């Protein structure tokens, strides 16, 4: 079954007439005999729209109840069962009532289309998903009901229902859109002239882009290569030279003369990667064209005029803007230049503008400008070999070696030319060729010691020598330059790969990145400076190195701006221009790292605040119940003792007093844990570490449990531990009390200890129900009770306080399963230094 076709009426705002236009189209189709039904149309009590529904078949709506109210939605099943040729579905972005077949109405429409039913629908521009932020900035209202752009773009037809803002406001004022009581509010808010004008422009531009897509599809399908000037598109050809900014601004002015003009700046690079362009200047020009509303494109092509024309025709451009050539007059002997070639080959459908500029006719610079940077010593050796070498060779050939013939003499001089090219580049090689040709003519070409040449063959030979020498020198110099450029690009790629890897690895150390910058560029110091605004002083966000940090970027040897209010300042030496591209990448990464550090810090603070809020909430819950329980018992006992209506016996009084004491002890214990947790949260616990034996501390921690509920196994041979006795006692007491609480009455809790290297372990073993692995860490969080512990059994702070005290002393607490069932708490504390455990002896076992 063929998929149905979708037609959409697009409007800039409510009330422009989308639904009216849709119903008018339905009447036209019905008159032509098309089976057309109304699947869902909302007339919003607008009389003219309601009248248009007369004469059209309407599918009954489906009623849905939601939160006590009955709503109506499109009955998709009924429409599919009816299966008309065309279905009218209003308000495509609508969100269906919960319980509907689909969440969104456009999903209902997709089902109808899949069933082969043509659909006509309506959409306002503000409901397109991609324009949500733009519409919110214009109207101040965030649209909750949206439709994906792709759903609308896939429509077979899109028709814009347009109306000027004054006409729409008049329609609103006449009561044709909203009820009279809502008109004034609408006109002064959403339907303000500025809002309507901006929304109308959005709709026009969106439809224009869609028309461009249709046009490009048509041109592609019908293989149309000729340019159709439906809209002014101006291509700016950039060379990376300083004239590019002038060309971009001139192209923008040309585009502004026609409505909807578009500027596309293009830079064409050769496929071998070698270029005369300045990366920094290209970056500036890219930013400029994007700021002015254009786009920047990078194209690879060895034949620049052909590549430029292919690009222009590919984007259906109407004009090309080029700068007058920078070549000097004599350089035109090598060809007419890019501008003249493009103008000649552009044809009648492309206008070519040649713009004059300050750099015209000043020349492109000598080839050495992009040379290999061989170093001063190598260049000196190149000149020595190129100038002194031929003289030395002439001396050797004339006085030391026998005559070898003119051809061999030329080969020897050619060898010196190649050597000078390898050492010093092109110019020493050219000098070597010139000196060598003169020496060959004077000393080795008959008649010797004159510059005249008797044999014409020798004239040809020397001319060939000069040509070959120059050619070889050029090739060798080109190879040297390409080798240097390849090595440099490899180094740059390694550095950029490191930066990319640091991003992927999530490295967030600003100091490490600045140190990498200092090492890479051989600087004495590197600092990242920032300021809040243009008038505020600079502050240092991070720095490395031995040199004093500069107070302003201008004071540094090298400064690299990062945005408007941040800069990377380097001190030590001045960097060459080609190093600034990599430095710019480092600077951008430094800004990202700084932002990431600050975001992480803010996230940590937010997490700490959230954790504090959670603890406070839990504390309030604990205070509201767990602290009130002992207070209620104490209050009841005191009230009973003070009652004059009852005479209490001595036993009853003793029992009530005992209850008061137990409640007070329990209250003291709960308040103590709360205070301890508060101290741990605020970091005010300061341990007083000293050396002590475990058997002096652990028995004192058992005072809060029944005498026969714990079995001790503390060997006397254990080394002393370096702890705070008070904190250790509280930690062990909380662990033991927790174990006794969950252990069966006939199974005593075992408290044992052992030495392991420089640590001592205290194990509290119970035979209770145990804890699953996924909950073993959670039980150490504040205000946590595991399982079915009764509410009166504490506020859930005991284990959290115990772990906090242990970590304060440099120890740890972990939970393990007890073999045979139960839970074992392992408290590890550091042993006293320089004390080793004595040989194991029989442990002294005590029952408490």
């Amino acid at each position: 079954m063929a998929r149905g076709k979708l037609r959409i009426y697009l409007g800039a705002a409510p009330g422009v007439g989308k639904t009216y236009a849709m119903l008018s189209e339905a009447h036209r189709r019905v008159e032509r005999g098309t089976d057309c039904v109304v699947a869902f149309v909302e007339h919003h009590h607008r009389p003219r729209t309601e009248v248009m529904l007369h004469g059209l078949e309407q599918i009954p709506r489906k009623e849905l109840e939601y939160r006590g109210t009955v709503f109506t939605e499109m009955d998709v099943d009924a429409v599919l069962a009816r299966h008309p040729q065309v279905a009218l579905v209003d308000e495509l972005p609508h969100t269906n009532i919960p319980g509907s077949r689909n969440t969104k109405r456009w999903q209902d429409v997709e089902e109808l289309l899949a069933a082969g039913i043509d659909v006509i629908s309506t959409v306002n521009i503000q409901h397109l998903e991609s324009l949500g932020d733009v519409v919110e900035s214009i109207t101040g209202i965030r649209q909750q009901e949206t439709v994906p752009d792709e759903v609308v773009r896939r429509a077979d037809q899109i028709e814009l229902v347009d109306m000027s803002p004054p006409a729409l406001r008049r329609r609103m004022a006449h009561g044709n859109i909203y009820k009279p009581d809502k008109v004034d509010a609408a006109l002064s808010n959403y339907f303000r002239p500025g809002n309507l004008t901006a929304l109308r422009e959005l709709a026009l531009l969106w439809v224009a882009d869609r028309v461009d897509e249709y046009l490009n599809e048509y041109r592609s399908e019908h293989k149309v290569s000729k340019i159709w000037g439906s809209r002014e598109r101006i291509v700016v050809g950039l060379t990376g030279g300083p004239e590019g900014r002038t060309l971009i601004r001139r192209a923008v002015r040309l585009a502004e003369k026609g409505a909807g003009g578009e500027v596309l700046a293009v830079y064409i690079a050769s496929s071998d990667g070698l270029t005369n362009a300045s990366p920094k200047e290209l970056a500036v020009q890219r930013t400029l064209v994007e700021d002015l509303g254009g786009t920047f494109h990078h194209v690879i092509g060895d034949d620049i005029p052909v590549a430029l024309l292919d690009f222009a025709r590919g984007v259906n451009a109407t004009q090309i803007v080029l700068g007058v050539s920078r070549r000097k007059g004599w350089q035109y002997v090598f060809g007419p230049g890019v501008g003249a070639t493009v103008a000649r080959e552009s044809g009648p459908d492309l206008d070519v503008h040649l713009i004059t500029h300050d750099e015209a006719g000043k020349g492109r610079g000598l080839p050495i400008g992009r040379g290999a940077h061989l170093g001063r010593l190598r260049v000196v050796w190149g000149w020595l070999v190129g100038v002194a070498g031929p003289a030395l060779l002439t001396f050797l050939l004339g006085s030391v070696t026998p005559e070898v013939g003119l051809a061999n003499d030329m080969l020897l001089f050619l060898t010196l030319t190649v050597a000078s090219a390898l050492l010093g580049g092109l110019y020493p090689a050219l000098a070597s060729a010139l000196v060598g040709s003169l020496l060959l003519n004077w000393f080795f070409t008959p008649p010797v010691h004159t510059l005249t040449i008797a044999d014409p063959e020798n004239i040809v030979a020397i001319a060939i020598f000069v040509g070959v020498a120059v050619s070889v020198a050029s090739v060798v110099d080109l190879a040297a330059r390409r080798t240097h450029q390849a090595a440099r690009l490899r180094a740059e790629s390694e550095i950029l790969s490191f930066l990319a890897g640091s991003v992927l690895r999530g490295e967030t150390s600003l100091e490490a990145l600045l140190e990498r910058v200092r090492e890479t560029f051989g600087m004495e110091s590197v600092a990242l400076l920032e300021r809040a605004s243009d008038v505020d002083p600079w502050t240092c966000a991070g720095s490395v190195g031995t040199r004093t940090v500069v107070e302003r970027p201008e004071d540094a040897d090298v400064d690299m701006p990062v945005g408007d209010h941040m800069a990377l300042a380097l001190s030590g030496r001045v960097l060459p221009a080609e190093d600034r591209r990599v430095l710019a990448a480092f600077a951008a990464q430094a800004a990202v790292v700084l932002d990431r550090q600050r975001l992480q810090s803010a996230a940590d603070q937010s997490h700490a605040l959230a954790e504090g809020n959670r603890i406070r909430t839990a504390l309030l819950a604990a205070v509201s119940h767990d602290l009130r329980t002992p207070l209620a018992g104490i209050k009841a006992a005191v009230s009973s003792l003070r009652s004059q209506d009852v005479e209490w016996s001595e036993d009853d009084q003793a029992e009530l007093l005992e209850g008061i004491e137990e409640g007070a002890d329990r209250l003291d214990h709960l308040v103590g844990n709360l205070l301890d947790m508060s101290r741990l949260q605020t970091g005010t616990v300061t341990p007083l570490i000293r050396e002590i034996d475990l058997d002096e501390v652990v028995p004192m921690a058992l005072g809060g449990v029944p005498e026969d509920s714990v079995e001790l196994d503390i060997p006397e041979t254990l080394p002393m531990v370096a702890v705070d006795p008070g904190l250790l006692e509280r930690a062990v007491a909380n662990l033991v009390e927790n174990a006794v609480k969950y252990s069966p009455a006939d199974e005593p809790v075992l408290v044992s200890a052992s030495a392991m290297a420089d640590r001592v372990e205290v194990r509290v073993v119970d035979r209770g129900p145990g804890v699953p692995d996924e909950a073993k860490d959670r039980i150490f969080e504040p205000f946590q009770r595991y399982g079915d512990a009764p509410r009166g059994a504490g506020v859930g702070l005991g284990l959290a306080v115990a772990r906090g005290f242990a970590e304060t002393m440099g120890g740890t607490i972990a939970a393990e399963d007890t073999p045979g069932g139960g839970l074992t708490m392992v408290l590890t504390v550091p042993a006293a230094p320089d004390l080793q455990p004595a040989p194991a002896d029989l442990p002294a076992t005590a029952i408490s």
Side-chain angles (χ1 to χ4, degrees):
M1 180 182 296
R3 179 180 171 86
K5 295 184 177 181
L6 176 62
R7 177 170 183 166
I8 291 178
Y9 287 93
L10 179 68
V16 295
K18 304 179 301 299
T19 304
Y20 190 92
M22 177 178 67
L23 294 173
S24 298
E25 175 65 20
H27 280 286
R28 285 192 293 271
R29 297 198 181 197
V30 169
E31 291 174 359
R32 295 196 299 264
T34 304
D35 182 14
C36 183
V37 302
V38 176
F40 188 98
V41 169
E42 190 65 67
H43 54 73
H44 296 291
H45 303 290
R46 297 169 187 166
R48 297 187 179 183
T49 305
E50 193 171 357
V51 168
M52 293 296 294
L53 285 170
H54 298 165
L56 298 176
E57 178 185 349
Q58 300 185 45
I59 302 294
R61 300 183 183 182
K62 185 176 182 179
E63 293 186 351
L64 296 170
E65 184 176 351
Y66 180 66
R67 294 183 177 179
T69 305
V70 177
F71 298 89
T72 60
E73 293 288 359
M74 179 174 66
D75 193 338
V76 180
D77 292 326
V79 178
L80 291 174
R82 170 67 174 75
H83 205 281
Q85 288 180 275
V86 180
L88 307 184
V89 182
D90 204 7
E91 299 178 356
L92 189 63
H94 172 74
T95 301
N96 294 328
I97 295 298
S100 301
R101 183 189 188 98
N102 294 302
T103 304
K104 304 288 286 188
R105 184 166 292 164
W106 65 264
Q107 295 170 326
D108 297 337
V109 169
E110 287 292 321
E111 287 196 37
L112 301 182
L113 294 172
I117 301 173
D118 294 345
V119 177
I120 304 177
S121 188
T122 62
V123 176
N124 277 328
I125 192 67
Q126 68 264 29
H127 294 296
L128 293 181
E129 201 166 73
S130 67
L131 299 178
D133 294 337
V134 179
V135 172
E136 183 180 10
S137 66
I138 294 171
T139 64
I141 300 174
R142 183 70 180 186
Q143 298 295 328
Q144 300 301 321
E145 294 189 335
T146 59
V147 59
D149 290 46
E150 186 58 29
V151 173
V152 181
R153 286 186 180 277
R154 285 202 306 264
D156 299 275
Q157 296 181 54
I158 298 177
E159 183 172 331
L160 179 65
V161 181
D162 188 32
M163 178 175 286
S164 67
L168 182 57
R169 285 173 57 84
R170 282 196 302 271
R171 179 179 288 185
M172 172 71 72
H174 293 160
N176 294 330
I177 301 177
Y178 291 157
K179 293 181 179 180
D181 58 338
K182 296 182 178 180
V183 170
D184 290 339
L187 289 175
S188 59
N189 289 284
Y190 192 88
F191 284 80
R192 294 195 303 268
N195 288 0
L196 296 178
T197 302
L199 292 173
R200 187 188 187 198
E201 183 180 11
L202 275 180
L204 291 170
L205 291 175
W206 196 91
V207 173
D209 288 339
R210 187 71 180 102
V211 171
D212 276 344
E213 292 178 12
Y214 282 134
L215 179 61
N216 291 333
E217 290 174 5
Y218 181 87
R219 284 166 51 85
S220 177
E221 290 174 1
H222 293 79
K223 297 180 174 57
V224 177
S225 59
K226 185 177 180 181
I227 292 175
W228 291 353
S230 55
R231 184 200 293 193
E232 289 295 338
R233 282 191 180 88
I234 302 175
V235 172
V236 185
L238 302 178
T239 64
E243 75 281 1
R245 305 183 201 184
T246 301
L247 303 183
I248 292 171
R249 293 188 180 97
R250 179 61 64 86
V252 170
R253 289 199 296 272
L254 289 173
E256 290 174 348
K257 292 180 179 179
E262 186 178 353
V263 175
L264 302 90
V266 58
Y267 169 72
I268 299 175
S270 59
S271 58
D272 59 9
L274 299 180
T275 174
N276 278 331
S278 166
K280 180 180 179 181
E281 183 63 31
L282 279 178
V284 172
Q285 292 173 13
R286 178 173 192 154
T287 302
L288 175 62
V289 70
E290 290 175 351
D291 288 345
L292 294 176
T295 56
F296 183 90
H297 305 268
H298 192 286
V299 176
I300 303 298
D302 292 322
D303 192 328
I304 293 178
V306 172
L308 182 61
L309 289 171
D310 287 345
F311 175 82
R313 293 191 173 101
V315 298
N316 201 29
T318 58
Q319 302 179 54
I320 296 178
V321 173
L322 299 174
V324 173
S325 178
R326 285 181 286 155
R327 295 194 298 178
K328 294 183 180 296
W330 62 270
Q331 291 177 313
Y332 281 96
V333 299
F334 300 105
V338 173
T341 304
V342 170
R344 185 181 67 247
E345 302 294 336
S346 61
D349 50 357
L350 257 177
D351 296 335
V352 179
H353 303 266
L354 292 179
I355 308 300
T356 59
H357 50 85
D358 293 339
E359 303 297 322
K362 292 186 177 179
R364 291 179 172 270
L366 297 172
I368 196 66
R370 56 174 184 175
H373 300 284
L374 299 174
R376 181 175 299 178
L377 183 61
R378 285 191 59 175
V379 173
V380 170
W381 274 105
W383 281 104
L384 287 175
V385 173
V387 177
L392 179 61
L393 179 60
T394 301
F395 172 75
L396 293 175
L397 292 176
S399 59
V400 179
T401 59
E403 184 176 348
V404 295
L406 181 60
N408 291 326
D409 293 337
M410 290 183 178
L411 289 176
L412 291 173
F413 278 97
L414 184 61
T415 302
L416 288 178
T417 300
V418 173
S420 62
L422 288 172
L423 289 173
L426 179 62
Y427 290 137
L430 294 178
S432 177
L434 178 61
V435 173
S437 62
L438 292 175
L439 292 176
L440 280 172
N441 187 4
W442 185 268
F443 289 102
F444 302 103
T445 303
V448 296
H449 302 131
T450 65
L451 293 178
T452 59
I453 301 175
D455 191 347
E457 294 182 358
N458 291 337
I459 297 177
V460 175
I462 291 181
I464 293 174
F465 165 77
V466 174
V468 170
V470 172
S471 301
V472 170
S474 300
V475 170
V476 171
D477 177 66
L478 178 62
R481 285 192 285 108
R482 291 193 175 184
T483 301
H484 170 79
Q485 290 170 342
R488 179 173 185 82
L489 290 175
R490 178 180 178 183
E492 289 184 3
S493 66
E494 290 177 354
I495 294 172
L496 296 177
S497 175
F498 162 79
L499 286 177
S502 66
V503 173
L504 295 176
R505 292 189 297 269
E507 297 177 359
T508 57
S509 174
L510 179 61
E511 287 70 21
L513 181 64
L514 296 181
E515 182 63 27
R516 176 79 178 191
V517 175
R518 191 183 68 82
E519 293 176 355
T520 301
F521 297 101
M523 291 293 179
E524 296 179 6
S525 68
V526 178
L528 184 63
L529 305 178
E530 63 176 346
R531 59 181 177 180
S533 66
D534 294 336
V535 297
D536 291 325
W538 291 93
T539 59
C540 180
S543 64
V544 294
T546 57
R547 191 166 172 178
T548 303
V549 178
V550 296
E551 296 182 355
R552 300 182 306 164
E554 297 82 5
D555 299 334
D557 295 316
V558 180
D559 70 286
M560 174 58 65
V562 188
D564 296 331
H565 303 125
M566 189 177 294
L568 194 64
L570 292 79
S571 301
R573 65 186 181 93
V574 178
L575 288 181
E578 57 266 23
D579 285 344
R580 296 183 65 88
R581 178 173 57 182
V582 179
L583 182 60
F586 271 111
Q589 178 66 6
V592 170
V593 168
L594 181 61
D595 289 341
R596 186 182 300 165
Q597 284 184 347
R598 289 174 174 172
L599 289 174
Q600 184 62 45
S601 176
D604 292 341
Q605 292 177 3
S606 299
H607 179 73
L609 291 174
E611 182 67 16
N613 288 333
R614 188 185 69 81
I615 292 176
R616 278 191 290 272
T617 302
L619 175 60
L620 290 174
V623 169
S624 66
H625 185 281
D626 296 293
L627 294 184
R628 290 178 60 187
T629 300
L631 285 174
I634 294 173
K635 179 68 168 59
V638 172
S639 298
S640 298
L641 288 173
R642 295 189 61 190
S643 175
Q644 302 295 327
D645 300 333
V646 180
E647 295 230 2
W648 302 99
S649 65
E650 292 185 1
D651 292 339
D652 291 337
Q653 291 180 4
E655 184 177 352
L656 290 172
L657 290 173
E658 184 180 358
I660 293 173
E661 185 178 12
E662 289 179 357
D665 290 340
R666 184 173 164 196
L667 188 61
D668 178 69
H669 178 73
L670 293 175
V671 172
N673 274 338
L674 288 172
L675 293 175
D676 290 339
M677 196 68 234
S678 176
R679 291 164 59 203
L680 288 170
Q681 291 287 337
T682 57
T684 58
V685 177
T686 304
L688 301 175
I689 303 297
R690 66 184 181 89
E691 299 176 3
I692 193 171
D693 288 321
L694 275 181
D695 55 8
E696 296 181 25
V697 179
V698 174
M700 299 175 62
L702 309 181
V705 297
E707 294 182 359
D708 58 348
S709 60
V710 178
E711 179 180 346
L712 280 179
D713 184 5
I714 308 295
E716 296 179 353
T717 55
L718 285 177
M720 301 178 72
V721 292
V723 296
D724 183 314
L727 298 183
L728 179 60
E729 179 185 342
R730 291 296 306 278
V732 174
N734 284 356
L735 294 180
V736 171
E737 290 174 8
N738 186 76
V740 171
K741 183 192 310 178
Y742 290 98
S743 189
D746 57 345
E747 291 283 351
V749 172
L750 174 62
V751 180
S752 62
S754 59
M756 297 182 61
D758 59 345
R759 316 288 288 179
V760 175
E761 284 188 353
V762 178
R763 307 177 74 86
V764 181
V765 184
D766 68 58
R767 295 292 179 179
V771 175
D773 291 340
E774 61 271 14
K776 283 186 171 62
D777 284 333
R778 195 166 62 248
I779 60 177
F780 291 101
E781 296 178 3
F783 303 102
Q784 293 291 322
R785 293 186 184 89
Y786 178 70
D788 56 355
R791 289 287 300 177
V795 293
L797 286 175
L799 295 182
V801 170
R803 172 174 274 188
F805 282 165
E807 292 177 349
T808 301
M809 297 183 293
T812 59
I813 293 181
E816 299 177 356
D817 292 327
T818 300
L823 187 68
T824 298
M825 292 291 182
V826 182
L827 168 62
T828 305
V829 294
D834 302 325
L835 290 176
Q836 299 299 326
D841 201 351
L842 291 177
T845 302
I847 303 295
S848 175

